[in-house]
Amino acid sequence: YIRAYDILHRHDHFSDDEVHYLEALIADSMEYLLRTAEWGPMNRAALRAQTLAWAVRALPDHPRAGVWDMQRKALADDNWGNWEIEDATIYHGVWLYAMLGYADARQRMDEFFRAPETYYYAHYFLNLMSPAGMIPDFGDANWFSNWSYYLVFFEAAAAQYEDPRMKWAAATIARKFIDFEQPTSVGLGHFLLDCYRWGTDDIAPQRPTSGSREVMEDVQGKKIVFRDGWEYDSTYLLLNYRDEGD
């Protein structure tokens, strides 16, 4: 909502009365956000960091903008250049998309993709892609429910890293889940606009050719994929393990 307001306001689409009304609504929403707690540093906390970043960008002169910015930084610093604490397909997607939105609000997309952790996750999720055209469900997950998050992430990663394999992952997900002849929702349009803004068609998709492997090590990834190819009818087995510790 705030991103839409910021874009339209910068293009002079609102009257003075509308600006006053909408900015008051945004400010009231930020006060509610600051009065409610959220568990942990990841996922929905990252969504809050994204929201606060857009509020600061849209209303930089608001008397409370300094407070919003302080909370924005407190939440984002737990996420930027850090490992995701969850190990679940659905939460990874939420976190990745929130961080993309946060980087966009802060105009730091290039910097976000230069972080080693972002580079790692782009290759991590690529190597987890299954013949079913999606990353398999592991942990607390509902398979196929958040494919759109990964679609946007792979489009952005392909453009940033100039990697045709990540473009293939994005194209594979889009081909499986999207019927471009049947528009389904404004939300899907939102995701596709982000694909357009952050992705590129200058890179041709190229199917990976690697075989079975550890994905990507035993500290963060904790996965082993067995595969005989990357086709729809290929055989695939995911082993998700975790060291029990001392």
Side-chain angles (χ1 to χ4, degrees), residues 89 124 127-128 130 135-138 213 215 221-227 236-241:
T89 309
Y124 172 72
N127 281 284
L128 288 176
S130 74
I135 299 158
D137 55 335
F138 52 83
R213 61 162 298 173
V215 185
K222 305 181 288 292
K223 311 280 188 298
I224 297 175
V225 162
F226 302 92
R227 67 167 82 241
Y236 175 104
L237 175 68
L238 169 67
L239 171 63
N240 185 20
Y241 68 91

Side-chain angles (χ1 to χ4, degrees), residues 16 21 23 37 46-47 89 115 123 134 138 146 157 159 190 197 222 224:
D16 290 344
Y21 172 80
E23 292 193 350
L47 288 168
T89 309
H123 291 82
M134 177 56 179
F138 52 83
N146 63 346
H190 187 96
R197 294 177 61 234
K222 305 181 288 292
I224 297 175

Side-chain angles (χ1 to χ4, degrees), residues 131-149:
M134 177 56 179
I135 299 158
D137 55 335
F138 52 83
D140 182 8
N142 182 8
W143 206 15
F144 296 163
S145 65
N146 63 346
W147 57 267
S148 49
Y149 299 126

Side-chain angles (χ1 to χ4, degrees), residues 153-174:
F153 179 71
F154 277 130
E155 283 283 6
Q160 289 285 333
Y161 300 134
E162 299 181 353
D163 193 318
R165 300 168 305 165
M166 294 175 190
K167 185 67 174 179
W168 169 87
T172 298
I173 293 173

